[in-house]
Amino acid sequence: MAGERAAFLTQMVEVLTSTVSFGERLNNMVHLLARNLKVDLALYFGLDKARETLLLNVSSQGPVPPRLRLEFPLGQGLVGETARTRKSTIVHRQQPGVSAANAALEKLAPAYQTLAAFPVADDNFLYGVLILADRAERSLTAAERQGVQLTCLMLAAALRQAIVQEEAKKRIAELSVLFEVGKALTSTVELDELLERIVSTTAKVITARGAALHIINAVTGELRVSSRYGQISMECPALPQIPPSGAATEPPYYEGESTDAAGHTHYCLAVPLTFKGQLTGTLGVYDKFNPNGEYLPFDPENRQLLFTMAGVIVNAIENALTYQQVEDLAEKNERMVRNLTALQEISQVMLTSVQEERLQEIILQGLTQEHGLGFDRAVVLIVDEATQTLIGAKGACRSAATRDLPNLKALQVPPPEMIPVTDWEIPLRVDQGPLALAVLRKSPYHHHQTVKEPGLPPALEGKYAAQEFFVVPLVVKDRATGVILVDNQASGRPLEPERLHTLQMFATQAALVLENAHLYSTIETNNRELLLIRERMLESDRLAALSSLASGMAHEIRNPLVSIGGFARRIAKLVEPNSPLRGYVEVIQEEVTRLEKLLREILDFSGENLSYYGDHELAKLIEDTLILVQRDLDANKIKVAREFAQMPRLHCDDRQMKQVFYNLFQNAIQAMPHGGTLSIRTFPVERADGLYAAASIADTGSGIPMEVLHNIFNPFFSTKDYGTGLGLAIAQRIISRHYGQIEVNNEIGKGVTFIVTLPVAKYCLVKDVGQGAVPASVLRVPKGGR
Amino acid sequence: MKKILVADDEMSIRLLYSEELKEEGYEVYQAANGREALDIVDKIPLDLVILDIKMPEMDGIEALRQIKEKRPDLPVILSTAYGEYKKDFATWASDEYLVKSSDLEDLKAVVKRYLKE
């Protein structure tokens, strides 16, 4: 007996250590046992831990057809009970309850009388249950029982080894996959390439037709990146909010299934990718296939693998994303440096001029040149404070000629093509579109068609067609002095938001230099005005000194003249009409009259006369004066040509003004002793400081000799052997008292034109250089002053 | 016969005016300064005074003020070589302001206007 047992054990060990597959070994061991114990049937039930079920794996009668794959839940029947108690039992059919509890076994062992059950377990685990069935009612000897138990232990060892082997195999497979993945991940830091590798490797290791990866910004919900490989048969969610289809303890995943038109079933499996930052996403695989090309559902192992891969991938992707961000930042930095360099260069060029016009040109060049800010088109508009209007100053578009100039020295060359913008006038009101708003709010504006925001002001509709443009205000000391308008309409390049930033920096610089230039020109104008005023004052001082001398003398002369003339008249009355004395007396009378007239003129000139200011029409003053000289005009056969424009009334002393015209007419008449034309024209003149009324008096005489021209306004200067030589001096004095000017255009041989220009008080800011004759209440700030 | 006073420090002027005015049928008195003029105003019921302004002792402006105090109804014509006194509003109390001229027609016309009854 002992020899038999030893032979059995030897056989068993041989089977156990044989090199056949694990399943084969299991089979052989069960067969060997059945044969050795001479039982009709030996069955091995394996434990499915997850389902707590015992499943028939091996029968000593050969392969088990699917319909006979018996199952016993833990604790049910002899099989279940043995698994639960882990104790070997022998039962017989006639024992109560045995037949009912093990009815299922009838299918394999139809007429069993004896059933023996042994747990297959080692010290730690239960692997399954071994059942021996026999048609005879029998028992097992102690030696037999011991043999079976030994076999069971061997079975357990074999099973454990198989499990360990299986796990090792899985680990190796997993490791090799991870190695693959790792290789893919470390091969590049370029995000796109990396993602491509990830999806292709994923598909490959899972033997799937396709794979896809989505990463979204968890905060905004925007799709950040996505990559696809192979055939994607359906959409799997990009967000890892996947209904948990596994056990609660497992991380969530998604399993999808769909059938296409041809009746093929497609599968998809996706696991979440979770980054520690703000990104999230999914990694999905589609349609696992076997070597025959059939689609298979994904199993838990695939799932596990996908999870593992996801864990590894996440870090690589995060690295790549960070790398990409750093690269973006670096690029942005570089662009910024480029911009700043351009800005600095433009600023330097801007410092080369203080002329507003030139500066505007430089600004436009800086805005439109490739090496400047490179916009296609740019316009500078300036605020007119007086009228509260934004007025086009200068506009330019990029010219092809200057496009490829090597550096900003190009700014010194002629400017790009200018756009006419001086007729752009936009009232500064909130309903006047983005340009007015930029000034009023002192903030930049990015216009694009997609945003239905305030469009162009009515003043620009049609003139300015751009889908997208920037407007930035020119702000100095918290005051918007204008705006810069730029676009890329010609090339259609988009306007990136950071360019607006650069443009703002540029605008700050531009506003400053423009303001400086403006201040400079204001100072220049003021200087010029001061010089002019000083000149006038000097002149009026000279005239004042002269006139006080003249008036002192005149008075001393007047009294004796009155007596001489008066008595001469008396004598004339007494002298006989035919007496030669009469002639003498008349000479005295005439000479006295002439002297008295001279006196009057001198005294008028010295300013003794009172002023009578009122509002008068220039044309009327001229007409009234013409009447006084009509006789002289007729005598010299002089025609009068009139051309009077409609103008506001002048605030002036009408008598003095008539004196001016009288003197000018007299000069003209004397210049045309043999006839000619006296042309009189009135017209308005717009000047920086307001509205002026002008009158030109032109004769067709021979002109004023060049050598005396500079003297004509000097008192007591005369080319004539009659008159006082005060005519033009008086005229000039009266006009300057009215804050006007008198100019002379002299053409030798053609004639002389005097132009009298007088401020229309209500529209002028007249500088008070002499007596303040103009009431302050009618003064207004003139147009155009800033 | 209407009585006219001519006050002027220049004798020749007084003479000229007197002669001319007498010819027009007026009775003419003469004074060489403001003080003399006032004396005559006190003594004689004058109908009109012609006053020079620049005179020694008392000028025409002071004389004018005092005459108008005594006899506000008495017309006073200022006759002077100076136009600028027009700006002195003390002269505004006069009834007329004439700048002297060898042609006396203006003066005579004004006198006639005041004395026409």
Side-chain angles (χ1 to χ4, degrees):
Chain A
M1 271 319 272
E4 249 175 72
R5 200 174 140 206
F8 166 65
L9 285 176
T10 309
Q11 273 178 318
M12 212 36 129
V13 168
E14 268 168 16
V15 169
L16 188 63
T17 55
S18 65
T19 53
V20 296
S21 76
F22 165 70
E24 198 75 2
R25 264 184 281 161
L26 204 62
N27 243 339
N28 291 346
M29 284 164 83
V30 172
H31 277 279
L32 187 62
L33 186 67
R35 205 170 59 219
N36 191 264
L37 292 179
K38 296 183 182 71
V39 289
D40 293 337
L41 184 63
L43 301 168
Y44 173 71
F45 288 85
L47 176 68
D48 183 338
K49 261 190 201 157
R51 297 168 55 214
E52 300 195 329
T53 313
L54 290 136
L55 193 75
L56 178 60
N57 285 145
V58 182
S59 163
S60 60
Q61 287 175 343
V64 188
R67 62 181 177 85
L68 291 177
R69 284 198 183 128
L70 299 182
E71 260 184 52
F72 291 95
L74 211 61
Q76 209 177 83
L78 181 64
V79 181
E81 191 57 31
T82 308
R84 200 173 60 80
T85 58
R86 297 202 187 181
K87 282 196 176 124
S88 52
T89 332
I90 294 179
V91 294
H92 302 285
R93 184 185 283 273
Q94 69 269 27
Q95 280 174 321
V98 169
S99 172
N102 299 299
L105 286 173
E106 298 278 1
K107 288 178 190 166
L108 289 164
Y112 73 86
Q113 288 298 321
T114 308
L115 286 175
F118 295 88
V120 179
D122 55 23
D123 292 344
N124 299 318
F125 298 108
L126 175 85
Y127 299 97
V129 173
L130 187 74
I131 297 288
L132 303 173
D134 205 281
R135 271 179 297 244
E137 196 167 313
R138 57 175 283 190
S139 61
L140 293 173
T141 62
E144 278 172 337
R145 202 182 277 253
Q146 209 178 12
V148 175
Q149 272 162 356
L150 215 55
T151 305
C152 281
L153 273 174
M154 283 185 201
L155 269 175
L159 282 163
R160 190 168 57 197
Q161 188 198 2
I163 287 169
V164 167
Q165 251 175 18
E166 194 60 29
E167 278 197 350
K169 235 161 78 186
K170 250 199 281 183
R171 283 274 167 270
I172 287 164
E174 220 168 75
L175 278 174
S176 69
V177 166
L178 289 180
F179 175 70
E180 279 289 305
V181 173
K183 223 166 60 184
L185 294 184
T186 50
S187 61
T188 180
V189 282
E190 289 295 328
L191 186 68
D192 291 346
E193 213 182 318
L194 177 74
L195 295 179
E196 265 170 41
R197 288 196 189 182
I198 286 173
V199 287
S200 61
T201 311
T202 307
K204 219 159 62 193
V205 297
I206 300 208
T207 57
R209 285 261 182 250
L213 184 143
H214 306 277
I215 295 168
I216 55 174
N217 187 322
V219 178
T220 61
E222 279 170 43
L223 187 67
R224 178 78 198 270
V225 282
S226 84
S227 188
R228 285 152 177 260
Y229 168 82
Q231 295 172 11
I232 309 293
S233 49
M234 70 190 87
E235 277 306 317
C236 81
L239 263 176
Q241 287 146 3
I242 301 165
S245 42
T249 49
E250 267 184 75
Y253 63 92
Y254 172 85
E255 263 183 327
E257 203 178 307
S258 73
T259 310
D260 64 14
H264 298 294
T265 308
H266 297 277
Y267 304 93
C268 127
L269 170 69
V271 297
L273 295 169
T274 318
F275 302 89
K276 57 177 182 274
Q278 295 173 323
L279 295 169
T280 178
T282 55
L283 176 66
V285 281
Y286 299 86
D287 298 334
K288 188 166 81 162
F289 60 96
N290 60 15
N292 304 329
E294 291 162 334
Y295 294 155
L296 305 170
F298 294 101
D299 57 31
E301 265 173 48
N302 298 141
R303 201 163 68 225
Q304 203 50 54
L305 190 60
L306 207 56
F307 270 122
T308 313
M309 285 176 69
V312 178
I313 286 163
V314 156
N315 286 325
I317 293 177
E318 197 158 22
N319 281 345
L321 280 171
T322 312
Y323 180 78
Q324 198 189 37
Q325 270 172 357
V326 169
E327 266 201 330
D328 282 354
L329 276 176
E331 200 190 310
K332 224 184 211 170
N333 252 345
E334 203 190 308
R335 213 163 34 219
M336 195 85 104
V337 168
R338 248 197 336 263
N339 279 338
L340 282 174
T341 312
L343 276 180
Q344 201 225 347
E345 283 183 42
I346 298 167
S347 298
Q348 272 175 3
V349 179
M350 285 200 284
L351 290 177
T352 60
S353 180
V354 286
Q355 279 177 299
E356 281 180 276
E357 283 247 334
R358 174 76 190 117
L359 274 174
Q360 285 167 2
E361 266 172 30
I362 293 174
I363 287 166
L364 290 176
Q365 281 175 275
L367 287 169
T368 52
Q369 285 197 355
E370 195 65 57
H371 293 276
L373 298 189
F375 292 107
D376 288 356
R377 192 158 57 160
V379 179
V380 175
L381 296 100
I382 299 293
V383 171
D384 180 30
E385 293 278 355
T387 56
Q388 283 297 297
T389 320
L390 196 54
I391 294 171
K394 252 188 179 33
C397 55
R398 186 129 56 113
S399 62
T402 55
R403 185 162 299 176
D404 295 317
L405 286 168
N407 58 41
L408 217 67
K409 299 278 183 297
L411 287 182
Q412 312 285 6
V413 306
E417 289 150 34
M418 289 295 165
I419 316 172
V421 294
T422 43
D423 59 333
W424 293 20
E425 277 186 29
I426 303 155
L428 288 178
R429 291 199 312 266
V430 283
D431 60 346
Q432 291 295 311
L435 276 65
L437 280 178
V439 171
L440 293 170
R441 294 181 181 157
K442 286 175 274 188
S443 60
Y445 175 70
H446 183 177
H447 174 95
H448 34 124
Q449 206 79 37
T450 47
V451 188
K452 266 286 162 233
E453 264 237 61
L456 282 177
L460 295 191
E461 280 297 358
K463 279 185 202 150
Y464 193 81
Q467 308 278 325
E468 188 180 15
F469 58 79
F470 284 146
V471 184
V472 292
L474 296 166
V475 181
V476 180
K477 287 179 242 149
D478 209 32
R479 192 165 53 90
T481 58
V483 295
I484 288 176
L485 169 69
V486 293
D487 67 45
N488 275 344
Q489 187 66 13
S491 61
R493 290 174 297 168
L495 297 171
E496 303 95 350
E498 67 257 30
R499 306 244 293 165
L500 182 59
H501 188 67
T502 315
L503 183 62
Q504 269 181 282
M505 290 199 283
F506 177 81
T508 309
Q509 275 286 332
L512 256 176
V513 293
L514 278 178
E515 179 70 6
N516 281 346
H518 179 73
L519 289 177
Y520 185 83
S521 84
T522 309
I523 289 171
E524 266 197 339
T525 310
N526 285 348
N527 251 346
R528 257 201 313 277
E529 265 172 28
L530 277 174
L531 272 176
L532 205 74
I533 288 167
R534 205 181 67 148
E535 237 165 67
R536 277 194 208 162
M537 282 175 76
L538 280 177
E539 191 188 289
S540 70
D541 275 357
R542 272 200 307 274
L543 289 172
L546 187 69
S547 68
S548 82
L549 178 71
S551 94
M553 268 172 58
H555 288 120
E556 289 308 312
I557 296 166
R558 188 171 260 166
N559 269 329
L561 269 183
V562 169
S563 301
I564 297 166
F567 283 112
R569 278 170 210 276
R570 287 198 60 71
I571 293 167
K573 281 188 215 162
L574 303 171
V575 172
E576 292 288 317
N578 299 325
S579 164
L581 285 177
R582 189 168 187 92
Y584 307 154
V585 174
E586 275 176 4
V587 169
I588 300 174
Q589 248 174 266
E590 276 167 23
E591 286 305 304
V592 168
T593 306
R594 196 165 80 86
L595 281 171
E596 280 186 318
K597 197 179 157 210
L598 170 63
L599 268 185
R600 256 200 313 279
E601 283 185 4
I602 291 172
L603 291 173
D604 277 352
F605 177 73
S606 71
E608 78 167 14
N609 278 2
L610 270 185
S611 307
Y612 294 93
Y613 275 86
D615 288 336
H616 300 285
E617 262 176 51
L618 187 56
K620 173 96 170 28
L621 293 173
I622 290 170
E623 286 293 357
D624 286 354
T625 316
L626 275 172
I627 294 169
L628 300 178
V629 297
Q630 194 57 52
R631 260 188 26 205
D632 301 330
L633 288 168
D634 293 344
N636 286 11
K637 297 192 178 67
I638 294 168
K639 283 183 291 180
V640 178
R642 299 170 172 85
E643 194 188 325
F644 296 150
Q646 273 289 331
M647 274 185 300
R649 284 160 166 258
L650 289 174
H651 190 74
C652 65
D653 181 335
D654 57 333
R655 293 185 318 168
Q656 291 189 14
M657 222 29 89
K658 282 181 198 167
Q659 178 80 55
V660 168
F661 292 118
Y662 181 84
N663 292 355
L664 293 175
F665 293 160
Q666 283 297 346
N667 278 344
I669 290 164
Q670 284 153 16
M672 299 183 282
H674 311 298
T677 306
L678 174 65
S679 305
I680 309 166
R681 201 161 76 81
T682 69
F683 52 93
V685 177
E686 279 256 18
R687 289 195 186 155
D689 59 346
L691 182 66
Y692 284 75
S696 75
I697 290 107
D699 64 51
T700 53
S702 54
I704 303 169
M706 284 316 256
E707 63 272 20
V708 302
L709 188 63
H710 63 280
N711 263 331
I712 58 167
F713 290 111
N714 280 348
F716 300 112
F717 175 82
S718 178
T719 56
K720 296 166 284 198
D721 41 13
Y722 47 88
T724 58
L726 282 171
L728 283 175
I730 288 168
Q732 192 195 32
R733 181 132 177 91
I734 291 171
I735 289 161
S736 79
R737 240 187 261 163
H738 283 81
Y739 310 107
Q741 287 94 43
I742 181 163
E743 294 158 57
V744 59
N745 283 333
N746 182 42
E747 280 184 87
I748 303 292
K750 284 190 177 173
V752 180
T753 306
F754 284 97
I755 300 163
V756 175
T757 314
L758 294 160
V760 177
K762 282 178 182 157
Y763 304 93
C764 266
L765 178 63
V766 282
K767 301 268 182 328
D768 195 353
V769 292
Q771 308 132 292
V774 180
S777 60
V778 300
L779 296 181
R780 291 241 183 98
V781 179
K783 191 187 170 194
R786 205 177 66 160
Chain B
M1 201 184 278
K2 301 284 183 185
K3 297 178 178 64
I4 298 174
L5 168 66
V6 175
D8 198 308
D9 59 335
E10 296 262 350
M11 197 270 281
S12 58
I13 300 280
R14 290 203 303 272
L15 187 62
L16 178 67
Y17 282 19
S18 306
E19 294 287 304
E20 288 282 319
L21 290 169
K22 277 180 196 159
E23 236 174 60
E24 297 292 311
Y26 303 113
E27 197 180 327
V28 182
Y29 298 82
Q30 295 182 17
N33 58 49
R35 193 159 309 287
E36 282 182 29
L38 283 171
D39 285 347
I40 296 167
V41 169
D42 283 341
K43 287 176 192 147
I44 295 160
L46 295 168
D47 296 295
L48 188 139
V49 178
I50 297 171
L51 261 184
D52 184 20
I53 291 178
K54 277 192 96 174
M55 289 186 289
E57 283 187 54
M58 183 191 282
D59 69 5
I61 289 173
E62 180 55 27
L64 169 69
R65 197 181 61 76
Q66 293 195 26
I67 291 168
K68 283 290 177 186
E69 245 170 46
K70 291 176 204 284
R71 289 196 49 195
D73 61 308
L74 182 63
V76 179
I77 297 169
L78 288 174
S79 166
T80 171
Y82 296 83
E84 57 263 49
Y85 285 120
K86 267 188 204 172
K87 292 175 194 164
D88 181 348
F89 64 83
T91 66
W92 296 4
S94 72
D95 296 82
E96 209 68 45
Y97 187 115
L98 294 175
V99 176
K100 283 178 186 168
S101 163
S102 63
D103 185 351
L104 295 185
E105 293 312 307
D106 279 359
L107 178 71
K108 288 192 277 188
V110 170
V111 170
K112 202 171 174 181
R113 202 167 75 227
Y114 280 97
L115 299 179
K116 68 174 179 227
E117 295 292 314

